[in-house]
Amino acid sequence: MGQKVNPIGFRTGIMLDWKSRWYASKKDFAELLLEDKKIRDYVTKKYKFAGIPKVEIERTRDEVKVVLHAARPGVIIGRKGQQVEQLQDELQNLVGRRINIKIEEISRPELQAHLVAEDIAEQLAKRSSFRRTMKRAMEQTMEAGAKGIKIELAGRLGGAEMARREKQISGSIPLSTLRAKIDYGFVEAKTAQGHIGVQVWINQGMFEDDTDGADAQEGQTSKKPKRSYKR
């Protein structure tokens, strides 16, 4: 049977960097991991409408650097950056360490799987037709320049008595190709009939910046020994 693996976890450490970057001894590891979870949960819950697909955390001995990737950074920043300072104080009280917040804007939210899944879940909660919602999301993502998209919904679709799955694919989604930059998002839509799971895979192209040069070098080095063998 086909074994499904989270595309982000699959590529972490090979093509993608970790979302938490710090080192801790065995004694402190669990506590710091829990702190990271608290920070992420707090930020995503408080700024649900800011469109935050990713929160990166870096630690030094005295401070925690939190990088928020947001589609609508204005929601977090507020007037004259007052809300950032407020958030900083709240996180410091939550964690008990010095926090340094950095906000990065996402230029094309249509290519972020988590944001697309959030949008679909929001529409489903408002009782809109799931087929139309899926189709619209796919068209928007493909127009934004994606190489492919796959959306899968599972649950009581359209308020049906029996839960089922619906899947739509557009373009190519090479899940087992590690060089393919595939983003994955999962959100639950809370409808009156029950929860509907929304899964989105988006193919953003290839990781070609570093690999091309490496491949070319490998090709050159591998050609030299071949010539010597012929002689």
Side-chain angles (χ1 to χ4, degrees):
M1 297 291 287
Q3 303 301 315
K4 292 170 187 65
V5 62
N6 186 315
I8 294 168
F10 190 44
R11 288 162 179 78
T12 299
I14 301 165
M15 287 299 182
L16 295 173
D17 202 358
W18 279 259
K19 285 179 185 172
S20 288
R21 292 184 286 276
W22 44 266
Y23 179 80
S25 62
K26 206 171 184 180
K27 188 175 74 209
D28 306 322
F29 190 90
E31 188 191 329
L32 295 179
L33 188 66
L34 198 61
E35 267 182 26
D36 281 14
K37 173 96 175 97
K38 278 182 189 169
I39 290 170
R40 286 197 172 95
D41 288 351
Y42 185 84
V43 169
T44 48
K45 194 176 176 184
K46 184 171 181 182
Y47 296 107
K48 203 186 286 181
F49 303 108
I52 303 174
K54 189 163 74 169
V55 178
E56 292 181 320
I57 296 172
E58 290 178 17
R59 290 174 186 270
T60 56
R61 187 170 288 176
D62 5 281
E63 72 166 16
V64 182
K65 185 183 174 189
V66 179
V67 183
L68 306 177
H69 295 261
R72 292 184 283 278
V75 176
I76 306 168
I77 296 164
R79 262 194 210 140
K80 295 175 185 172
Q82 287 173 328
Q83 285 191 339
V84 175
E85 288 166 20
Q86 190 187 332
L87 176 64
Q88 204 161 322
D89 294 339
E90 286 167 6
L91 289 179
Q92 279 169 355
N93 294 335
L94 182 76
V95 173
R97 295 175 202 273
R98 195 162 89 239
I99 301 272
N100 177 13
I101 293 176
K102 189 183 172 195
I103 297 166
E104 287 190 11
E105 188 177 359
I106 291 166
S107 52
R108 287 188 294 179
E110 299 87 7
L111 294 181
Q112 295 293 323
H114 186 81
L115 297 181
V116 172
E118 266 183 2
D119 182 48
I120 293 169
E122 208 175 298
Q123 296 297 319
L124 292 177
K126 289 178 185 169
R127 299 188 172 195
S128 77
S129 156
F130 70 90
R131 279 202 186 90
R132 200 182 304 129
T133 306
M134 284 168 88
K135 197 178 173 196
R136 204 191 84 233
M138 290 174 88
E139 282 169 3
Q140 282 179 346
T141 302
M142 292 304 281
E143 278 169 20
K147 299 280 182 286
I149 177 171
K150 175 164 84 169
I151 299 173
E152 189 165 327
L153 305 183
R156 292 183 61 183
L157 303 174
E161 282 291 312
M162 261 188 115
R164 67 181 197 276
R165 283 173 180 269
E166 284 274 335
K167 185 165 69 174
Q168 285 191 20
I169 301 175
S170 179
S172 69
I173 301 280
L175 293 178
S176 53
T177 306
L178 282 168
R179 275 193 347 162
K181 194 188 281 185
I182 289 179
D183 195 22
Y184 171 76
F186 168 73
V187 175
E188 278 187 353
K190 295 168 179 64
T191 66
Q193 289 77 27
H195 288 197
I196 292 175
V198 182
Q199 285 179 294
V200 177
W201 292 259
I202 293 176
N203 179 7
Q204 299 171 345
M206 291 282 182
F207 290 100
E208 284 179 315
D209 303 340
D210 310 320
T211 48
D212 269 13
D215 289 349
Q217 281 178 350
E218 275 177 32
Q220 286 169 4
T221 49
S222 58
K223 279 173 194 171
K224 284 175 187 173
K226 279 181 188 172
R227 285 176 192 162
S228 60
Y229 285 128
K230 282 177 188 173
R231 284 174 190 169

